[in-house]
Amino acid sequence: MDPQDTERFRDFVDVRWSALLRLANLLTGGDRHEAEDLVQIALMKALGRWRHIEDPEGYVRKVMYRHQVSRWRLRRPHREATFAVPPENFGAADGTSAADLRITVGQALARLTPRQRTVLVLRYFEDLSETEVASALGCSVGTVRSTTHRSLARLRRLAPELGPAAPVAEEPARTEPTGKAMKGART
């Protein structure tokens, strides 16, 4: 690698390290050491192909997603960690409610399986579409949808302190006439 590429890589790491570490922290369920390992593995893979990468941020994030998927595919089931119940005045207007919410969300995500956590992080924290999540994880859109649905349901059961669950909307009754369905309509 020539000195110019080396400098470009170092600048990228200096600027993006904290954002990549935040993402890795969410993907690993709050384990700081695993998060640092995940970022370092992704950066090492990027370093080997640095000269050929057009979008370094996207490349490193995709490596992190895929490596995390590989980790939870290979990992044996583990016992679920238990956490203390939040106090009665949780969310009081004392200026700490945002921090309390961040902690509670982090703890709730840690209670999910790695697969469920990864799908929710990509879908809602990374704001990726179902198609983009499916592409990043190498699975179908249907798998992303079902995993998202099950993950949110489990999150609501495991962390009721996050607030009341929004009612799941039933699919509206079809009012189209029998016969040929309209183009683009679900059949």
Side-chain angles (χ1 to χ4, degrees):
M1 196 151 88
D2 66 18
Q4 190 176 28
D5 285 339
T6 303
E7 187 63 31
R8 218 176 101 230
F9 180 77
R10 284 185 180 160
D11 290 343
F12 171 76
V13 172
D14 287 343
V15 171
R16 300 306 303 156
W17 174 262
S18 61
L20 293 170
L21 189 58
R22 277 193 304 272
L23 171 62
N25 197 38
L26 288 169
L27 289 172
T28 59
D31 186 325
R32 176 78 177 193
H33 298 291
E34 281 189 39
E36 288 175 352
D37 288 347
L38 185 60
V39 174
Q40 289 174 0
I41 288 167
L43 289 172
M44 287 301 295
K45 289 184 178 184
L47 180 61
R49 299 196 34 84
W50 190 252
R51 182 173 273 192
H52 307 287
I53 298 173
E54 292 180 24
D55 176 20
E57 177 87 12
Y59 182 87
V60 171
R61 285 176 180 265
K62 190 169 243 184
V63 169
M64 288 170 57
Y65 306 152
R66 294 203 171 169
H67 188 75
Q68 185 63 16
V69 168
S70 296
R71 291 172 87 174
W72 52 253
R73 281 185 179 156
L74 297 175
R75 195 174 282 177
R76 301 220 187 283
H78 62 282
R79 284 187 349 162
E80 204 169 273
T82 58
F83 298 91
V85 177
E88 286 295 319
N89 62 355
F90 178 74
D94 62 356
T96 63
S97 60
D100 290 340
L101 180 61
R102 274 195 310 275
I103 291 168
T104 303
V105 169
Q107 289 174 342
L109 284 173
R111 295 183 214 171
L112 297 175
T113 66
R115 179 183 186 130
Q116 291 173 329
R117 183 173 50 247
T118 300
V119 169
L120 290 183
V121 167
L122 294 181
R123 190 75 180 91
Y124 297 106
F125 287 92
E126 287 291 299
D127 200 26
L128 299 180
S129 69
E130 291 170 339
T131 306
E132 292 169 326
V133 173
S135 174
L137 299 180
C139 63
S140 71
V141 174
T143 300
V144 171
R145 287 181 184 157
S146 64
T147 304
T148 301
H149 178 75
R150 289 184 188 116
S151 302
L152 288 173
R154 184 165 185 229
L155 191 64
R156 288 180 186 121
R157 281 192 316 273
L158 292 174
E161 65 270 18
L162 290 176
V168 178
E170 295 293 321
E171 188 171 324
R174 300 189 189 217
T175 57
E176 62 189 53
T178 57
K180 189 173 183 179
M182 294 172 39
K183 182 178 181 182
R186 294 176 78 187
T187 55

